[in-house]
Amino acid sequence: MSEPIEIRTERISFTSEGIDLVGALRFPAADRPVPAVVLTGPFTGVKEQVTGGYADRLAQAGFGTLAFDHRGFGESGGRRGHEDSQGKLTDLRAAVGLLAARDEVDPARLGVVGICLGGGYAVRAAAVDARLRAVVGIAGAYNSPDWFARQMGIGGYRSALGAFLDRYDEYLPAVAPDGGEAAMGGTEPYAYYGTARSASPFWENRVTRGSLHSLMTFDALGAASLLGATPLLVVHGRVDDYCRPELATRLYEQATGVKEIVWLDTARHIDLYDIEPYVSRAAEVSADFLHRNLDTVQRP
């Protein structure tokens, strides 16, 4: 195993549509501009949790990294605990612009890495932002309204959307113990967010019910065919009850450009949040893929 390299961390503030966002930049010691990635993570997640862990590992692999709090979450401004899909994509564009303007970064070698819900945002961002030259999804949620409607039946799907709209501004817990009502129901989300595993002073256990409407109407899978010029890596667990392996397969199959898929023998979705050897393996294959596809970028 190679020795850890020196990493410089910098707290950063920037704006997106006038909303103040807060992030952490990490730069490896280097004598020339480095490739860099912006990270986007799980539903309700903040920069001290999953994205921060992957940002550390990718910085050790030679990348500049930016993990930040999207609008409404963590230290950033905006409506608290509200999942704003289009707003998050706007935040990603602002984050890419921030990285591109840094002297430490080679603006021709930028990528995006998304974990869990961020996987879908990463794909959608990469599909429409030509500055992003590679995209990685790890345990990604490649949401598809069409898929949801087929699984639930169109009547059930529309009924669920209607219920979220009726109580759009109300809050509910993000996670809850013992089967309690929560946006992320079940024991697995609570095992991460409800315990010291996810400790952050900036994480809040609440989201709007309108957030669930955003999740069920956000189309990440539909962007697959737009990645023809953007290399794609999908890293996914073979067992995942929250971000379905079926949708990861569909994303890979529908992408038309350079693409790779790596399956890991996880037992749970959250294994790829902070459990070894899964996180290190995901970071290793991601770093290798990003180096191969960003280091060979032809500059204009």
Side-chain angles (χ1 to χ4, degrees):
M1 181 179 295
S2 60
E3 291 294 321
I5 63 175
E6 179 184 351
I7 302 297
R8 178 172 62 83
T9 302
E10 176 184 337
R11 177 183 168 88
I12 190 76
S13 297
F14 59 107
T15 61
S16 172
E17 294 183 318
I19 298 171
D20 292 330
L21 306 181
V22 178
L25 287 163
R26 293 169 173 85
F27 293 114
D31 58 5
R32 60 178 59 88
V34 297
V37 295
V38 61
L39 296 100
T40 178
F43 179 40
T44 79
V46 295
K47 62 187 177 303
E48 294 81 20
Q49 297 172 335
V50 179
T51 55
Y54 277 99
D56 278 335
R57 288 170 170 82
L58 291 172
Q60 284 290 330
F63 296 92
T65 65
L66 172 57
F68 71 99
D69 293 332
H70 278 285
R71 63 181 66 193
F73 296 94
E75 293 187 89
S76 292
R79 184 180 180 188
R80 306 314 303 164
H82 181 68
E83 186 71 20
D84 177 353
S85 298
Q86 293 305 311
K88 277 192 167 184
L89 290 173
T90 303
D91 295 347
L92 280 171
R93 287 196 296 274
V96 172
L98 170 66
L99 277 179
R102 294 288 301 212
D103 291 339
E104 303 95 332
V105 171
D106 181 346
R109 294 188 290 160
L110 298 177
V112 57
V113 176
I115 307 99
C116 185
L117 184 62
Y121 284 118
V123 165
R124 180 58 71 177
V128 297
D129 191 334
R131 297 171 297 178
L132 293 169
R133 304 300 185 90
V135 54
V136 176
I138 301 171
Y142 307 113
N143 289 10
S144 165
D146 177 71
W147 187 85
F148 287 141
R150 290 176 184 274
Q151 295 296 308
M152 301 171 67
I154 189 62
Y157 176 71
R158 290 179 63 81
S159 177
L161 295 184
F164 298 145
L165 288 173
D166 287 343
R167 303 170 69 183
Y168 194 87
D169 295 321
E170 293 182 14
Y171 285 93
L172 78 165
V175 298
D178 305 320
E181 184 186 21
M184 297 181 285
T187 59
E188 188 174 326
Y190 189 81
Y192 181 75
Y193 290 106
T195 69
R197 286 173 66 178
S198 66
S200 166
F202 307 114
W203 185 78
E204 298 178 70
N205 188 20
R206 62 168 186 162
V207 291
T208 63
R209 292 183 184 272
S211 296
L212 302 178
H213 185 278
S214 296
L215 296 183
M216 291 189 67
T217 55
F218 180 64
D219 184 9
L221 189 62
S225 62
L226 302 177
L227 295 175
T230 311
L232 165 71
L233 171 64
V234 176
V235 182
H236 214 87
R238 296 186 187 278
V239 176
D240 191 327
D241 293 335
Y242 287 83
C243 293
R244 296 289 291 271
E246 174 190 343
L247 290 175
T249 298
R250 287 194 183 187
L251 174 71
Y252 174 75
E253 291 175 345
Q254 293 175 21
T256 56
V258 173
K259 57 185 178 180
E260 299 177 23
I261 190 166
V262 174
W263 292 102
L264 300 180
D265 291 322
T266 57
R268 294 166 295 276
H269 171 71
I270 58 174
D271 285 349
L272 278 163
Y273 282 16
D274 62 347
I275 298 297
E276 297 295 352
Y278 310 110
V279 172
S280 286
R281 179 58 179 157
E284 288 168 4
V285 298
S286 298
D288 175 70
F289 174 85
L290 289 164
H291 275 305
R292 284 188 283 112
N293 287 281
L294 294 179
D295 291 352
T296 57
V297 166
Q298 298 297 311
R299 290 162 179 76

